[in-house]
Amino acid sequence: MEYNFIAGGICAPKGFAAAGVHCGIRKNHSKLDLALIKADVRCAAAGVFTTNKVCGAPIKVDRAHLTDGYAQAILVNSGNANTCAANGVALAEECCQLVGQALGVSPEDVLPASTGVIGQPMVIDPFAAGIPAAAEKLAATPAGSWDAATAIMTTDTHQKEYAVQFQLGGKTCTLGAIGKGSGMIAPNMATMLAFYTTDAAVSPAMLQKALRQVVPGTYNQMSVDLDTSTNDTLLILASGLAGNPVIEAEGPDYDAFVAALTAIAEKMCAAHAGDGEGATHLITCEVTGAPDLKTARAVSRSVVCSNLFKAAVFGRDANWGRILCAIGYTPGDFSIDKVCVWLSSAAGEVYVCENAAYHPYSEEEAAKVLAEHDILVKVDMGLGEASAKAWGCDLTYDYVKINGDYRT
Amino acid sequence: MEYNFIAGGICAPKGFAAAGVHCGIRKNHSKLDLALIKADVRCAAAGVFTTNKVCGAPIKVDRAHLTDGYAQAILVNSGNANTCAANGVALAEECCQLVGQALGVSPEDVLPASTGVIGQPMVIDPFAAGIPAAAEKLAATPAGSWDAATAIMTTDTHQKEYAVQFQLGGKTCTLGAIGKGSGMIAPNMATMLAFYTTDAAVSPAMLQKALRQVVPGTYNQMSVDLDTSTNDTLLILASGLAGNPVIEAEGPDYDAFVAALTAIAEKMCAAHAGDGEGATHLITCEVTGAPDLKTARAVSRSVVCSNLFKAAVFGRDANWGRILCAIGYTPGDFSIDKVCVWLSSAAGEVYVCENAAYHPYSEEEAAKVLAEHDILVKVDMGLGEASAKAWGCDLTYDYVKINGDYRT
């Protein structure tokens, strides 16, 4: 299905304003470090979080604040993860109090998120000054979304935001998203944060269900470096202001909403992976002909996660043996005898492996294919009907440089 | 227990000769590319192999030749993995025939192994010339072992060989090893190959049992890049010429043999990991206080496998939050609340994390600790009595460089 992607990010749906300010968590005064998102009304709300047993204090607060299924504001800081830090939960709750006061909403309707260094002490002062400043600056405009998308960036080289329109019950609905994260992603760390807004009317339960349905095939299929962050967070707020009949059960409207959510999540995953720390290539792996969905997902993840293949892509080397190797060590009991592999990009396509053996191709042509930024690895397993995608990036000198002196 | 490590590698035990020659698989004439190991007598023999579903042709032949529990020679080439290549098994079997003719042993008593690029066609010609040349050069001397250790190297920067002496039933026994592999190790690829010889008398069944007992805590705890090779192979030959009563069941002699095997395997793992592709540091992680052995092993592996922590060590940055992060995403249900972490080396020790939170330390002192080549990460989980070790290396520019243009 073709979607109408529009500008405006998280402020494109009706009823949302956003802002980004510099509040002093980061030393660089020109870097925004605090984002605020506010809905005009209490929204149905849902979230998914890291599976890491070491988990950021804001996530504990989010889980508590989401128990009733509603929220009205999101506060995000970069520069400090508020993880393994003393009094982290108390500080995150105090931040919610400050947001409540500044916006006239209940503190229990505020969802906090943090990204940055783990284990550093955090103080309330920058928040005490920054939250009222951000509230003052809130704007229901593309600029508001852009500033929020900017404030949550860490090692990201560019903002990540999308918005898409779709129809529900004869009403035009909009779904917007911003996100950050380019390292510690598996879906994982320097932390992946994503915030979605929509004016579609969806019950909290169906909103949570939609997230749980979409994330396994999108965010959980994205990897930069296999390091699952302590702070990964995806939150969604649904204002209901589009006026569609509330989605309260499965059916065509729910399916349409899930499809739109999938469309934007796939775009976001490609944006995150393509901006992976130090990346010079986005690597998408599409697996077809798998015996089942689990295997399809696992095999595509194995390929985009292989350090050796990632380094080969950086070197524009069509070292397909490393793709076979990665497929072969994917957990599960399946045959690799019928595996075929193609390398594809805007510059063309080369058929490099047929039935798990070399298929004649021109290295020169392959090098041309791999010179593009966006590389597609197509794997057909020849076993069944299941398919899946995964997103990753190449492994480069700059990944090592960025992470060798991240704190300095 | 203290062991008496001696010189001589695989030729230190009684009854073994070895050689390395250049036979033309590699273009560089100064690089030895074929190793031959010969025992004076038929030996009890055992092996463990890659779990990758894509597996080298020599491994299929090894499995067949090991079914009777005996072997007398090992043939190893570097430069081509004989994997995903047409007629790979037939070629490996033909090599065994050639070795059989040259040495006057049964082809079924020859164990082949290969390492190098995957998916490249392989021809018999270099073997036809090289095997007689290697047979001619066989020497039961330290030089013979050294040449064999040299011929199996790929991206390794130095030879890896050890030998250790121990007592069994009043007899002095010797166990020797050579190995190669510095990338695709998890235990994994650019391929880890290891060949052990011993003059201890051990039945084939107990030899296999000893390998299966030692490998999970040693070779399976070593990682350079998480890429499990298609060709990983560990073979052991036991000549019995030391004259000890044959080990045919569990008991004190078996335990002594396993202990010696463990001692040398740990040395070899440190040598492999410390010579990881592009590595500037060996990272050993010792986990204590784990609730069970499985968790101890998994947690120590997580730490040495974390790309983010590996890059931090390259940058000599005591970014302990990444250690916590890696512990936290280790599969399993355990608490991280009591985790304490120390960074240690010949230059000293810093206590960086107490009960999963920051423990005050001097960054200057930590940088001194991390300036050493051999880094020890000590993790106490505060939960139980189990412990384990894992070996890895840092992630460097040179890893990317080596793997970005491996084939060119």
Side-chain angles (χ1 to χ4, degrees):
Chain A
M1 180 171 173
E2 288 297 309
Y3 280 96
N4 181 25
F5 282 91
I6 62 172
I10 51 171
C11 293
K14 291 189 193 82
F16 294 95
V21 298
H22 171 79
C23 72
I25 299 167
R26 287 168 172 278
K27 287 170 195 158
N28 176 355
H29 287 265
S30 67
K31 172 68 181 83
L32 305 187
D33 54 13
L34 190 70
L36 185 61
I37 305 168
K38 185 197 176 234
D40 294 347
V41 297
R42 275 189 100 213
C43 292
V48 290
F49 304 98
T50 183
T51 55
N52 197 311
K53 285 174 277 290
V54 176
C55 115
I59 289 177
K60 296 171 189 170
V61 175
D62 289 336
R63 290 191 192 280
H65 288 190
L66 281 171
T67 47
D68 69 351
Y70 290 90
Q72 196 165 353
I74 296 172
L75 179 76
V76 195
N77 74 276
S78 57
N80 188 318
N82 192 12
T83 302
C84 300
N87 301 316
V89 170
L91 186 132
E93 277 170 349
E94 202 175 342
C95 286
C96 295
Q97 293 280 352
L98 291 170
V99 172
Q101 286 163 22
L103 303 183
V105 306
S106 161
E108 281 73 38
D109 284 338
V110 181
L111 303 173
S114 296
T115 177
V117 183
I118 297 171
Q120 302 295 304
M122 208 167 174
V123 293
I124 196 70
D125 310 66
F127 292 95
I131 288 168
E136 185 78 23
K137 225 185 134 192
L138 281 170
T141 62
S145 176
W146 186 259
D147 283 354
T150 306
I152 64 176
M153 289 164 64
T154 52
T155 50
D156 306 67
T157 66
H158 59 76
Q159 290 80 358
K160 295 165 187 73
E161 62 165 22
Y162 284 101
V164 66
Q165 287 191 323
F166 56 105
Q167 301 293 314
L168 285 182
K171 303 287 184 182
T172 297
C173 296
T174 305
L175 177 68
I178 62 172
K180 65 79 50 179
S182 63
M184 259 205 205
I185 291 188
N188 307 332
M189 178 163 174
T191 304
M192 196 295 298
L193 296 182
F195 306 104
Y196 282 57
T197 58
T198 183
D199 47 22
V202 190
S203 74
M206 295 312 288
L207 201 58
Q208 185 68 51
K209 188 184 175 81
L211 272 194
R212 295 218 174 279
Q213 187 168 338
V214 171
V215 164
T218 55
Y219 283 91
N220 288 353
Q221 291 289 104
M222 166 175 66
S223 176
V224 169
D225 51 19
L226 285 166
D227 277 284
T228 303
S229 163
T230 55
N231 286 49
D232 289 331
T233 298
L234 192 165
L235 296 170
I236 184 165
L237 300 180
S239 71
L241 297 177
N244 63 297
V246 182
I247 299 174
E248 295 187 292
E250 292 195 38
D253 281 5
Y254 173 76
D255 292 343
F257 180 72
V258 164
L261 194 56
T262 302
I264 202 163
E266 290 195 349
K267 288 265 191 197
M268 290 292 284
C269 286
H272 282 284
D275 193 28
E277 287 177 345
T280 63
H281 292 91
L282 164 67
I283 306 173
T284 305
C285 178
E286 269 185 19
V287 170
T288 53
D292 52 65
L293 183 60
K294 190 181 167 190
T295 302
R297 284 180 175 166
V299 166
S300 57
R301 273 202 314 273
S302 263
V303 171
V304 302
C305 288
S306 160
N307 274 347
L308 281 169
F309 179 59
K310 285 153 62 89
V313 171
F314 173 56
R316 299 179 184 182
D317 176 6
N319 199 327
W320 63 271
R322 292 180 180 173
I323 299 173
L324 265 279
C325 175
I327 295 169
Y329 60 66
T330 307
D333 185 21
F334 55 85
S335 160
I336 52 90
D337 296 347
K338 298 245 174 99
V339 166
C340 298
V341 180
W342 297 258
L343 297 174
S344 184
S345 75
E349 183 167 296
V350 282
Y351 184 12
V352 294
C353 170
E354 182 178 30
N355 296 332
Y358 173 71
H359 179 273
Y361 66 92
S362 146
E363 291 283 356
E364 200 183 330
E365 240 182 279
K368 264 186 216 159
V369 167
L370 295 178
E372 296 290 315
H373 182 274
D374 293 3
I375 308 297
L376 177 63
V377 181
K378 290 160 72 175
V379 175
D380 190 275
M381 298 181 69
L383 295 172
E385 297 297 318
S387 63
K389 279 186 218 174
W391 298 266
C393 61
D394 55 339
L395 176 62
T396 70
Y397 298 139
D398 279 353
Y399 177 85
V400 177
K401 183 173 166 58
I402 290 164
N403 287 299
D405 58 4
Y406 177 67
R407 298 194 311 165
T408 54
Chain B
M1 179 168 173
E2 289 298 311
Y3 280 96
N4 182 26
F5 283 91
I6 62 171
I10 51 172
C11 293
K14 290 189 192 86
F16 294 95
V21 298
H22 171 79
C23 72
I25 300 168
R26 288 169 170 278
K27 287 170 195 158
N28 177 354
H29 286 265
S30 66
K31 171 70 181 83
L32 305 187
D33 54 13
L34 190 70
L36 185 62
I37 305 169
K38 185 198 175 229
D40 294 346
V41 296
R42 273 189 100 212
C43 292
V48 290
F49 303 98
T50 183
T51 56
N52 198 313
K53 285 174 277 290
V54 177
C55 115
I59 290 177
K60 296 171 189 171
V61 175
D62 289 336
R63 289 190 191 282
H65 287 190
L66 281 172
T67 46
D68 68 352
Y70 290 89
Q72 195 164 353
I74 296 173
L75 178 77
V76 195
N77 73 277
S78 56
N80 189 320
N82 191 12
T83 302
C84 298
N87 302 317
V89 169
L91 187 130
E93 277 170 349
E94 202 176 340
C95 286
C96 295
Q97 294 279 355
L98 290 170
V99 172
Q101 286 162 22
L103 303 184
V105 305
S106 160
E108 282 72 37
D109 283 339
V110 181
L111 304 173
S114 297
T115 177
V117 183
I118 298 171
Q120 302 296 306
M122 207 166 174
V123 292
I124 197 69
D125 309 66
F127 293 95
I131 288 169
E136 185 78 22
K137 225 182 134 192
L138 280 171
T141 62
S145 176
W146 187 259
D147 284 353
T150 305
I152 64 177
M153 289 166 64
T154 52
T155 51
D156 306 67
T157 66
H158 59 75
Q159 291 80 354
K160 296 167 186 71
E161 63 165 22
Y162 283 102
V164 66
Q165 287 191 323
F166 57 104
Q167 300 294 315
L168 286 182
K171 301 287 182 181
T172 296
C173 296
T174 305
L175 177 68
I178 62 172
K180 64 79 51 179
S182 64
M184 259 207 204
I185 292 189
N188 307 329
M189 181 162 171
T191 303
M192 196 294 299
L193 297 182
F195 307 103
Y196 282 57
T197 57
T198 183
D199 47 24
V202 189
S203 74
M206 295 313 286
L207 200 59
Q208 185 68 50
K209 187 184 176 83
L211 271 195
R212 295 218 174 278
Q213 186 168 338
V214 171
V215 164
T218 55
Y219 283 92
N220 288 352
Q221 291 289 105
M222 165 176 63
S223 176
V224 168
D225 51 18
L226 286 166
D227 278 283
T228 303
S229 162
T230 54
N231 286 49
D232 289 331
T233 298
L234 194 165
L235 295 171
I236 185 165
L237 300 180
S239 71
L241 297 178
N244 63 298
V246 183
I247 299 175
E248 297 187 291
E250 292 195 38
D253 281 4
Y254 174 77
D255 292 344
F257 181 71
V258 164
L261 194 57
T262 302
I264 203 163
E266 289 196 350
K267 287 266 190 195
M268 290 293 282
C269 286
H272 283 284
D275 192 29
E277 287 177 344
T280 63
H281 292 91
L282 164 67
I283 306 174
T284 305
C285 179
E286 269 185 18
V287 170
T288 54
D292 51 66
L293 183 61
K294 188 180 168 190
T295 302
R297 285 180 176 166
V299 166
S300 57
R301 273 202 314 272
S302 264
V303 171
V304 302
C305 288
S306 160
N307 274 348
L308 281 169
F309 179 58
K310 285 152 61 90
V313 170
F314 173 56
R316 301 181 182 180
D317 177 5
N319 199 329
W320 62 272
R322 292 178 179 173
I323 299 173
L324 265 279
C325 176
I327 295 169
Y329 61 66
T330 307
D333 184 22
F334 55 84
S335 160
I336 52 91
D337 295 348
K338 297 245 174 99
V339 167
C340 298
V341 180
W342 297 259
L343 297 173
S344 185
S345 76
E349 182 166 297
V350 282
Y351 183 12
V352 294
C353 171
E354 182 178 30
N355 297 331
Y358 173 72
H359 180 272
Y361 66 92
S362 148
E363 290 284 356
E364 200 183 329
E365 239 182 281
K368 263 186 217 162
V369 167
L370 295 179
E372 296 289 315
H373 182 274
D374 293 2
I375 308 297
L376 177 63
V377 181
K378 291 161 70 174
V379 175
D380 190 276
M381 298 182 70
L383 295 173
E385 298 297 318
S387 63
K389 279 188 221 176
W391 297 266
C393 61
D394 55 341
L395 176 62
T396 70
Y397 297 139
D398 279 353
Y399 177 85
V400 177
K401 183 174 167 56
I402 290 165
N403 288 298
D405 59 2
Y406 177 65
R407 297 195 311 166
T408 53

